[in-house]
Amino acid sequence: MTPASRTPAPEAAPRPPGLRERKKLRTRLAIRRAAFALFREQGYDATTVERIAERADVSPSTVARYFPAKEDIVLTDAYEPLLEELLRHRPADEPVPETLRWVLRRLTALPPGGPPHRDDLLLRVRLLAEVPAVRARLLESGSGTARLMRRALAARTGRDESDPEVRLYAMGLTGALLEAMALWVEGGCRDDLARLADHALDVFRDLPDTR
């Protein structure tokens, strides 16, 4: 398979997230931080949604609004709203792998508190490996990132979000990026994560436009 073109994408600055988006992001981060702290302290199974809500200083219904199941706190990336906004910002005729390279560069350039902390990443991978309920939820619904990817790909290509090629392509991209993350963790987080993700994107051709 021919690697994707490595021509740098034009560096147009995306519109900064608005106040409402920033508040939502802060709430999501607070819930995830509370949950991950409790997972470390008392284990995944012993941690209830009510306890997470208490630690995050929100209501249980707020936790459920952001994360419909406890497993989603592990599976869902806290930066998915920002990721979707960045994906939609790129030119419609730009190859998808190149768009993702640009987006990943923007996300990894966020200040501290942005990309997941190393310890959180290690815990996330361990829970995926050890907790059957987390693995089952992943298989049941796909990751939130894959669903987001489907929406962005459908909008970009003129295809329906339920198109089998869109779904397979989105899940394949997501799986490749998750595998790059797993390789990074297995290597003790010493490698260059951006390089591993970049290499993962090299194996994908672009998704054809139907318009």
Side-chain angles (χ1 to χ4, degrees):
M1 187 177 291
T2 304
S5 168
R6 304 298 293 276
T7 304
E11 289 290 335
R15 178 181 61 83
L19 177 61
R20 183 172 179 176
E21 288 74 19
R22 292 199 303 272
K23 285 183 176 179
K24 287 182 176 180
L25 181 57
R26 283 197 296 270
T27 301
R28 288 168 66 89
L29 285 170
I31 294 170
R32 290 185 84 246
R33 279 195 296 265
F36 276 50
L38 288 166
F39 295 158
R40 291 191 185 92
E41 292 170 14
Q42 58 190 38
Y44 179 85
D45 290 334
T47 299
T48 64
V49 170
E50 289 74 19
R51 189 74 182 87
I52 293 169
E54 180 184 357
R55 177 69 66 92
D57 197 23
V58 298
S59 68
S61 62
T62 297
V63 175
R65 186 164 66 249
Y66 283 89
F67 303 99
K70 186 174 73 170
E71 292 78 18
D72 292 332
I73 301 176
V74 179
L75 296 173
T76 306
D77 192 320
Y79 282 85
E80 283 172 8
L82 180 56
L83 174 61
E84 184 165 16
E85 183 172 344
L86 290 170
L87 282 170
R88 292 184 182 278
H89 177 80
R90 301 304 296 163
D93 59 350
E94 182 177 73
V96 172
E98 288 308 312
T99 294
L100 287 172
R101 292 183 209 281
W102 183 88
V103 168
L104 289 171
R105 286 198 297 270
R106 305 295 290 194
L107 289 178
T108 54
L110 288 170
H117 189 276
R118 176 180 181 274
D119 291 342
D120 284 355
L121 188 56
L122 289 167
L123 177 60
R124 189 180 187 188
V125 171
R126 182 168 62 80
L127 292 173
L128 273 166
E130 297 177 355
V131 180
V134 174
R135 292 199 304 274
R137 180 69 174 174
L138 179 63
L139 293 174
E140 171 194 339
S141 61
S143 72
T145 301
R147 294 194 299 273
L148 177 156
M149 199 82 74
R150 288 202 304 267
R151 291 196 300 270
L153 288 171
R156 170 182 293 271
T157 63
R159 293 170 175 251
D160 190 272
E161 190 178 327
S162 63
D163 184 314
E165 283 195 13
V166 172
R167 293 183 61 176
L168 290 168
Y169 191 85
M171 186 57 78
L173 277 173
T174 304
L177 293 172
L178 288 173
E179 189 64 20
M181 187 176 292
L183 288 169
W184 182 61
V185 172
E186 290 168 13
C189 305
R190 291 185 295 271
D191 207 341
D192 183 347
L193 179 57
R195 184 190 66 78
L196 289 171
D198 202 52
H199 183 66
L201 292 173
D202 281 342
V203 304
F204 283 89
R205 298 179 184 271
D206 197 21
L207 183 67
D209 195 319
T210 62
R211 291 170 294 191

